[in-house]
Amino acid sequence: MSIVEIKSLPVQLNDLLKVFPANAGSEEQTAVNHIDLEIKAGELVTLLGPSGCGKTTTLRMLAGFEQPTDGAIVIGNENVTNLPANKRDTGMVFQSYALFPHLTVYENIAYGLKIKGLKRNEVNKKVKSVIELMQLDELIDRQPSHLSGGQQQRVAVARAVVTEPKVLLFDEPLSNLDAKLRVYMREELRKIQQNLNITSLYVTHDQTEAMAISDKVVIMNNGNIEQVGTPTEIYKKPISQFVANFMGKANFLKATVKSIDNGIITLDFEGYTMHVDNKDDHNFKRDNIVHCMARPEFWYVNENGRYQGKVLKAIYFGSFVEYEIQIGQQRITFEDYNHISNGVYKQDDQITLDIRKDTIGILPYDKNYDENNNER
Amino acid sequence: MTAIRIGIKKSLKMQGKQIKQLTKQPFLLTLILLILIFFFVFAVYPIFQVLKIAISGEEGFSLSNLKEMITNHAFLRALWNSIRLGIISAVLGTAVGFLFAFAITRTEMRGKKFFHLMALLPIISPPFVIALSMILLFGKNGAISNGIFHLANSNIYGMGSLIFIQTLAFFPIAYMNLRGVLESIDPSLEDAALNMGASRWKVFKTITFPLALPGVFSALLLVFIKSIEDFGNPMIIAGDYETLAVQAYLQIIGMYNLSSGAFFALALLIPAFTAFLIQKYWLSKKSYVTVTGKPSQSTIKINEKYIVYPLFVLCILATGTILLFYGSVAFGSLVKVWGIDHTFTLDNFKYVFTLGFDSIKNSLLLATISTPITAILGMIIAYLIIRKQFIGKKLLELSTMLPFAVPGTVVGIGFILAFNEKPLALTGTAFILIITFTVRNITTGIEAGTNSLRQVDPSIEEASTNLGANGIQTFFKVSLPLMRSALFSGLVYSFVKSMTSISAVIFLVSVHWNLITVSILSQVEGSRMGAAAAYVMILIIIVLIAIGILQLVVNKLGPAKRRK
């Protein structure tokens, strides 16, 4: 259909290691610690994590800007680990967009094609079709400094896809836009990515962005991959307190395992009996102390509910009310999005809550994430 | 222990990777090696020769020889003279430069643009023009000494004149530096002080001056270096006030005593190089000035009369003196015999164009050849330093800085010592002059290049690589256009310096390859002031035209505003 045709290829990172050598004033640093990752053809995978977790280094290794200390990078069937950056055939959208300030929009987009030595009319054809795709028609003669943030973003994407790269790389592409535009552009990016069906790796530290845009989210921490999964899996069933916290607000309830059946784990939480679906592989035993992870909005008000609590604090946010509730010796955060029908409780009110057993995750107990330290 | 061993192993592995990376880019590797070899041969080696021969003499090292040299009266006198002159000129030049810069950046004053342009004149002309016109004005037949006051035997040769001349010639350097410093002090700091009730004087004393202080020290050191390595002015006007640079020259050219000349040069090298190192590595770190990239709102400038008027008078005096001195040269070039017969004539120019045109042609030719080489090589080195990782980077930085930090006299002597014999018998050729220009003038371009490249987001170049461009394509299509202003200042500096400098090339000119500055000096020595003045005028005009042309060329390179 369009002139820009992309061959979707899978990408594999095998046992990738990056150690930055000790420099004056800084010690040797392991930025990426033996990670394995597979991106299927046409899939958009997001690397998500706090700054310094190694996500950008991973992306830059894929682009060829950093040489891995060890491990291999495979695009399609080709091992590209030792290929220089300009031979990698990846398209990158930079955080700062990195548009060439001395060239016009047209010249920016045509740059890669000209480098490849395409004939002028071919360059023209391809640039035109991408310009149409990105709705840049009116801007082709402008200098980048005369574009708005969103327009610059579009030019950056156009420039990256026009050369029909094997992989599209995004390095926090939306972080320089204001909140509204960010939401709009991430939908645009997703649409283009899906239209072109181009294998993509996307780096961000914003978990809503990651959830909104990705097929698969990879949570990184300290150079390691903590968890890989769909946005839902990662949000609902984080495999560690770190992931749980990073993906949003979380209550970590200290509880004791009472019994483990085929279908259900029964726990004691502040004298209440708590049931949790038993699905995942785990090695909890009777009398183990564990953390039950429950998101604040997973609770709901139910007069016949299981858990009796006292309201310590109530903050009205419009779309929801945030409560801090004391249950036994522990405090939980509860966000009520149904406050219109439930009514708003006040400080010192008694409240009865409940939670579904399939929304609670069980994690090994970690005193760093104990409920009373959980005021983030 | 094992942890350390693993660490070492890993870092060795990294080093190996780095080298492996480089070998994958054979062009880059070759380029770096060539540049390193070039600077080793034409910067490090000649200076090493000076050190060697200065310390060991031509017959080999002996302690008694060295002791004799050091305790030699003529040597000690020259050393003391140079340093005393350097200190006094530095203090006076910096003081005038500071007031000038303060007046221009901080006050409401008429004619700021004019003052600024006038201050540039000494920078773009040969430094010894002022000494020449000192003789025209105050010499035996001086327009002022003889013409107005009818002094029959005015003697202007000596330290006093030299201090005056150097102050006038070098205050613009202090001014340019301090102007930058004062401009980058956030005016809201001064506003804050005023807001808290401080008077203008109090603001100056407690805010502006302390913040500018590292810049002031820096300017002091720069003028000090300029003063002690100055060759032209002392050569013309010092009389029996002997200085190191002149003595080194006389020892070698006058007495054929290479080792003694090298010894004088070494004595010059030590204070100059020390001052350079302090200025470069210590003071620059002390600076309070931070470049935020955010244009600071300019504050209400000073327009109180009691501050502006005295500063205005000072600026008028300084620029008036410059105008008087350069005006006399212009006038001198157009009259028959200065001080005696003031009828208008073009004889001086005729003389220069017929008998002395070769040196003009040579200077112009060699400067034209060396300027683009110097500027582009400077940009390439700047790019390598900022953007590439390689072993020996520090070494490259240091060796490119060396011929700039070292006084021209030392470079000149080093070149004769190093390139007089096979395999590199280059003295007397045009080639050695071009090389001298290149190594002496490249540092400014490198500095400007590194500074401007630091402001360029590296991801812009990465974007180019990502789109398939190799290193050379990226450099010429992306980096160089973005370093346009640095390229321009590198071109201008290198051309101006090639045309106007004398201290290094005076050792290297030959019958076939004489240069304009050397011709001027020999005209002055032969008391043909009219011809000297004509040469100077031609030189200044060439430099101005060249700056204009370079501006046009560089504008071609970048985006002319394509927007309507």
Side-chain angles (χ1 to χ4, degrees), chain B residues 405-419:
Chain B
V406 165
T409 307
V410 180
V411 175
I413 294 174
F415 271 45
I416 335 183
L417 292 174
F419 306 120

Side-chain angles (χ1 to χ4, degrees), chain B residues 17-262:
Chain B
K17 283 258 178 192
Q18 233 181 53
I19 294 172
K20 221 168 107 193
Q21 277 276 65
L22 266 185
T23 52
K24 260 185 256 152
Q25 296 161 283
F27 176 78
L28 187 65
L29 185 70
T30 324
L31 184 68
I32 291 171
L33 277 178
L34 281 179
I35 292 175
L36 271 173
I37 292 170
F38 179 81
F39 278 95
F40 189 79
V41 173
F42 293 110
V44 179
Y45 174 65
I47 291 163
F48 171 75
Q49 285 293 318
V50 178
L51 294 184
K52 199 180 103 188
I53 203 156
I55 290 170
S56 65
E58 274 164 302
E59 299 93 35
F61 177 77
S62 92
L63 205 64
S64 61
N65 260 350
L66 198 63
K67 198 178 155 204
E68 201 179 306
M69 288 290 252
I70 292 175
T71 50
N72 182 312
H73 273 295
F75 167 70
L76 286 177
R77 193 167 56 232
L79 178 66
W80 168 235
N81 281 352
S82 276
I83 290 180
R84 180 166 54 165
L85 176 67
I87 292 172
I88 298 172
S89 294
V91 170
L92 292 177
T94 306
V96 177
F98 184 86
L99 292 171
F100 217 81
F102 186 82
I104 285 180
T105 57
R106 284 292 190 271
T107 66
E108 295 282 354
M109 183 189 280
R110 282 163 171 279
K112 284 198 276 197
K113 187 114 205 175
F114 171 75
F115 293 144
H116 174 72
L117 286 178
M118 283 297 112
L120 292 180
L121 210 46
I123 293 182
I124 61 151
S125 58
F128 53 87
V129 171
I130 297 177
L132 167 63
S133 76
M134 190 82 177
I135 294 175
L136 293 178
L137 288 169
F138 299 100
K140 244 183 187 164
N141 292 323
I144 293 175
S145 51
N146 194 6
I148 297 175
F149 294 107
H150 303 291
L151 298 173
N153 264 324
S154 126
N155 183 4
I156 46 143
Y157 300 92
M159 183 175 79
S161 298
L162 207 44
I163 289 172
F164 175 79
I165 287 166
Q166 287 196 340
T167 304
L168 198 61
F170 300 141
F171 93 85
I173 294 167
Y175 155 70
M176 294 298 275
N177 265 276
L178 289 164
R179 179 186 146 100
V181 170
L182 286 174
E183 266 176 349
S184 44
I185 292 175
D186 186 353
S188 59
L189 295 173
E190 292 167 341
D191 289 354
L194 280 174
N195 175 264
M196 284 183 270
S199 64
R200 284 286 189 191
W201 169 242
K202 193 96 184 164
V203 171
F204 176 80
K205 208 177 71 173
T206 57
I207 308 289
T208 319
F209 191 70
L211 286 178
L213 206 53
V216 172
F217 279 122
S218 178
L220 276 171
L221 289 169
L222 283 178
V223 180
F224 174 78
I225 295 169
K226 279 281 164 200
S227 160
I228 64 169
E229 67 179 34
D230 186 12
F231 170 78
N233 286 315
M235 186 69 194
I236 292 174
I237 213 141
D240 56 6
Y241 190 80
E242 294 163 358
T243 63
L244 290 171
V246 173
Q247 289 308 306
Y249 171 75
L250 293 178
Q251 289 292 327
I252 288 178
I253 302 297
M255 317 205 188
Y256 304 104
N257 190 341
L258 272 175
S259 67
S260 161

